[in-house]
Amino acid sequence: MTAYDVGIVGLGAMGSMAALELARRGRSVIGFDRFRPPHELGSSHGKSRIIREAYFEHPQYVPFVQRAYRHWARLERESGRSLLVTTGGLMLGLPDGTLVAGARRSAQEHGLEFEELSAREVRRRFPVFEPAANEVGLHEPRAGVLRPEDSIEAALELAAAAGAALCYYEPVLEWQGGDAITLITARGRYQVGRLILAAGAWMGTGLPGTVLPLRVARQPLFWFDAAGDPALVSPRRMPIFIWEWAADRYFYGFPDLGDGVKVATHHEGETTTGETVRREVTADEAIPLRAVMARRTPLLNGALRASAVCLYTNTSDGDFLIDRSPLDPRVILASPCSGHGFKFAPAIAEALADLALDRPPLLDLSPFALARFPG
């Protein structure tokens, strides 16, 4: 039985980047996925993901995204692919709402470049948005769009070139402790010294060996044609945006990168699992979103071009879960998701590699500990 330094279960955003990071460091790595990434059956797809720095969720995330920016640039250089499109970002809502106030707090704490625009200034600079008179927009120039499928493909190609063994269509059924950790898959048994579990929506199953406080949600994504001048929805004229249209209720979107304008709600999906999720999106599922868009983004509310389903794997507080397993400290639990994790992937992967090699991570992972959850 061949032994590897590190095994990785799940080769989506976090797992692919961790495989690359560890292979770069000269470690023997074996990675498993139940499908063939990149694919449309988990979380890391949909043609675009937001990257933003003025992080409304909490200022603790800003150092992670700043480090991630450097890693994204490296991945672009090494792969020869364009993975990040800078469009600027606009956070819209009431000045003291969760979104704008949180983004402002992070920007001020970390000395980030930003502008706070009145509703009139937003409408003048970005005609696709029609905020109410009492709303504002916080604009950050470095925000933009990541290409998830291309990013994962690039990481896996580079990891394989660096020596990582990547096993597709081979789900891991369980792991067992001992002198080495034994992985049991549908095809065989493997031994690894350390194990990273980054299985996304499948982290809530029996795979981790302990019950984790995770809820999987089904999040429909929609692509629309512009209802007005197509030039206004180009990446040169339209930033990525998040809009708090009611208290703690959000929708977000992207300019047209060639597939239409992508718009979706945030954290309003039905509970599901990776196995039982409804993967087809019906036409009437866009109706509630269209109602929100009608007054705020009418120029984005054209004909429905396409739809897809994304899976959010959420903790109860919306923060990540990154920690060693209480069953075996050699096993690392990685669920840095809750619907906002992709942008951090290469920085999180660096931290996961450090944990796997028993080194202190450069960034503080203590807010993401499993012990914060009762029981």
Side-chain angles (χ1 to χ4, degrees):
M1 188 183 302
T2 303
Y4 295 84
D5 294 331
V6 184
I8 301 172
V9 179
L11 294 171
M14 305 301 159
S16 65
M17 303 289 172
L20 174 57
E21 180 69 26
L22 285 158
R24 279 174 173 157
R25 299 189 192 187
R27 296 310 195 267
S28 60
V29 180
I30 187 166
F32 299 89
D33 200 282
R34 65 182 55 236
F35 306 114
R36 173 57 170 93
H39 55 74
E40 298 183 352
L41 301 173
S43 304
S44 303
H45 66 98
K47 299 180 173 62
S48 53
R49 283 291 182 272
I50 289 174
I51 185 166
R52 53 193 166 89
E53 201 170 10
Y55 220 69
F56 82 88
E57 289 87 345
H58 197 283
Q60 70 192 10
Y61 287 99
V62 176
F64 284 87
V65 75
Q66 289 177 327
R67 189 152 188 85
Y69 267 108
R70 293 192 285 272
H71 284 293
W72 286 119
R74 180 183 179 184
L75 187 58
E76 284 190 311
R77 289 193 307 271
E78 293 184 353
S79 68
R81 298 176 183 236
S82 173
L83 304 177
L84 195 163
V85 180
T86 301
T87 62
L90 195 62
M91 307 296 111
L92 293 148
L94 297 176
D96 58 350
T98 301
L99 176 64
V100 173
R104 184 192 305 117
R105 174 191 173 193
S106 284
Q108 290 174 339
E109 272 195 32
H110 291 277
L112 307 179
E113 183 181 354
F114 75 98
E115 295 177 88
E116 195 157 329
L117 308 176
S118 68
R120 178 179 296 180
E121 290 170 319
V122 169
R123 290 193 295 269
R124 178 181 60 82
R125 287 177 55 174
F126 309 111
V128 296
F129 304 118
E130 298 188 6
N134 62 339
E135 293 181 306
V136 299
L138 188 144
H139 182 260
E140 57 167 301
R142 285 228 299 166
V145 182
L146 291 164
R147 303 182 188 275
E149 291 91 347
D150 286 349
S151 298
I152 291 170
E153 196 167 71
L156 291 174
E157 287 176 356
L158 290 169
L166 304 176
C167 305
Y168 303 126
Y169 302 112
E170 188 170 356
V172 173
L173 305 177
E174 64 175 298
W175 60 270
Q176 299 172 350
D179 292 339
I181 297 168
T182 300
L183 301 180
I184 302 171
T185 78
R187 296 181 188 170
R189 301 166 71 92
Y190 306 82
Q191 287 192 336
V192 298
R194 299 290 186 272
L195 177 62
I196 297 172
L197 297 178
W202 288 265
M203 289 292 284
T205 67
L207 175 64
T210 186
V211 176
L212 299 179
L214 300 172
R215 168 186 170 267
V216 178
R218 173 185 179 272
Q219 299 287 157
L221 312 173
F222 302 94
W223 286 261
F224 300 98
D225 286 326
D229 182 357
L232 296 178
V233 300
S234 72
R236 293 186 298 275
R237 299 289 302 277
M238 177 184 160
I240 60 93
F241 74 92
I242 305 175
W243 201 320
E244 187 178 12
W245 64 274
D248 294 318
R249 299 190 71 184
Y250 310 90
F251 76 110
Y252 66 95
F254 302 78
D256 188 349
L257 299 171
D259 300 286
V261 178
K262 179 181 167 186
V263 187
T265 57
H266 188 47
H267 281 303
E268 298 199 5
E270 65 189 48
T271 299
T272 188
T273 69
E275 291 85 3
T276 63
V277 59
R278 292 189 298 118
R279 296 205 175 272
E280 297 299 319
V281 181
T282 60
D284 60 356
E285 290 186 78
I287 293 174
L289 175 60
R290 282 193 181 277
V292 174
M293 295 169 64
R295 183 171 65 78
R296 298 168 180 86
T297 58
L299 293 180
L300 309 185
N301 209 354
L304 179 61
R305 183 185 292 193
S307 58
V309 168
C310 180
L311 297 178
Y312 282 13
T313 305
N314 300 310
T315 60
S316 58
D317 59 11
D319 289 321
F320 300 160
L321 194 165
I322 307 172
D323 205 349
R324 297 184 184 276
S325 169
L327 302 178
D328 190 324
R330 298 172 298 176
V331 177
I332 297 151
L333 307 173
S335 187
C337 310
S338 288
H340 63 113
F342 187 88
K343 63 186 74 65
F344 301 101
I348 296 294
E350 181 181 44
L352 295 176
D354 287 335
L355 290 175
L357 301 178
D358 297 324
R359 297 175 181 173
L362 294 174
L363 299 171
D364 181 15
L365 299 179
S366 62
F368 312 135
L370 181 61
R372 75 184 191 271
F373 299 106

